[in-house]
Amino acid sequence: MMTDRFARALGWTSLMLGTAHLAAPKAVARLCGVDDAPGATTVARLVGGRELLHAALLLGAKNPAQWAWTRVAGDTMDLGVLGRAAANRTGTRRARALAALGVVAGIAALDAACARRGTAKAKGPLQVRASITINKPREEVYRFWRDLENLPSFMIHLDSVRTLDQRRSHWKANGPIVRLEWEAEIIDERAGDLIAWRSVPGTGISTAGLVSFTEGPGGRGTVVDVSLEYGAPGRKLAAAVARMFGEHPEQQVRDDLRRFKQVMETGEVVRSEGSPEGHRALRQLRQRPAQPIGGRA
């Protein structure tokens, strides 16, 4: 897609800019007319680190255009700094600051155009799918999931699910930024085969899902296939923020299914002193040699 190629080109631009800022911060400060400012080289290095972060997001993502907004935010900061620099300087330094301001303004226009295209492209609902095979009979796996109050035992972002009647339930969860509450209703159900649900309109959250249960290959175990759809306002921004912390919905559902497998096959989520919350991406940043909970060698 042209928009994604555009975004990756901006990613390569960030990579080159970041490398230049880190390799030659004094030269960059001089080119921008701020070499007389205290801490100018430190600021140049910080900007270089930020540009490398932009590069990693734009070059490493499956849908890079949505990350162009991070460059727009960086451009805004740079324009403010260079605008003040141009206003407070005279002579050649002022001329260099104005030239740098013009270059950044041009880049900002390209970044904003890419970001707007990425936003327009992402107007449809966010869809997530994952599956896993569990070494338990299909009816047993289905019954455990059908008791919706069991879901927080392996979905770590859920605080609670309270059944209101046979079809409706009240959900509480921790979002990337705020706590969330909504009601959901089962819209289709085939005992032992599938459960489909959606959020009740007017509860502030727009989401739907379907989980199916089928016999595993050769009749061994059960294949659990989950499809989720998120359509809440701002869901792309929320997903982008979540992805930075390793909590993107695609990863959430995969991790939830791994924990579901552990609960069904062992009776609990496998945990250790090194990772007491089980398999959760954010925890991986501070992993350490582990011992069983409750005892040390």
Side-chain angles (χ1 to χ4, degrees), residues 14 40 50 52 89 93 137 139 157 159 173 189 234 240 258 274-275:
S14 280
R50 188 197 73 206
L52 292 182
R89 282 164 178 76
R93 281 198 175 93
E139 289 293 337
H157 295 84
D159 283 342
E189 180 178 9
R258 278 192 285 267
S275 183

Side-chain angles (χ1 to χ4, degrees), residues 158-267:
L158 283 179
D159 283 342
S160 66
V161 177
R162 180 168 55 89
T163 54
L164 303 176
D165 55 39
Q166 285 296 311
R167 311 293 291 182
R168 289 202 172 199
S169 51
H170 185 83
W171 299 52
K172 293 183 180 180
N174 291 313
I177 302 172
V178 296
R179 287 171 61 87
L180 305 170
E181 289 190 43
W182 70 97
E183 285 190 13
E185 60 181 352
I186 293 176
I187 57 175
D188 191 12
E189 180 178 9
R190 299 173 203 164
D193 290 332
L194 67 84
I195 306 167
W197 69 93
R198 69 181 177 190
S199 56
V200 176
T203 58
I205 298 295
S206 176
T207 183
L210 183 147
V211 56
S212 65
F213 309 86
T214 56
E215 297 288 343
R220 293 191 293 266
T222 303
V223 177
V224 179
D225 194 304
V226 177
S227 298
L228 299 176
E229 184 175 288
Y230 300 88
R235 52 99 183 139
K236 274 291 181 183
L237 177 60
V241 172
R243 190 192 292 272
M244 294 180 71
F245 293 93
E247 301 291 339
H248 187 272
E250 289 180 1
Q251 181 158 325
Q252 286 180 17
V253 70
R254 287 195 297 268
D255 290 349
D256 287 343
L257 286 180
R258 278 192 285 267
R259 283 185 290 269
F260 182 44
K261 178 180 175 70
Q262 292 171 1
V263 169
M264 292 304 303
E265 294 182 356
T266 71

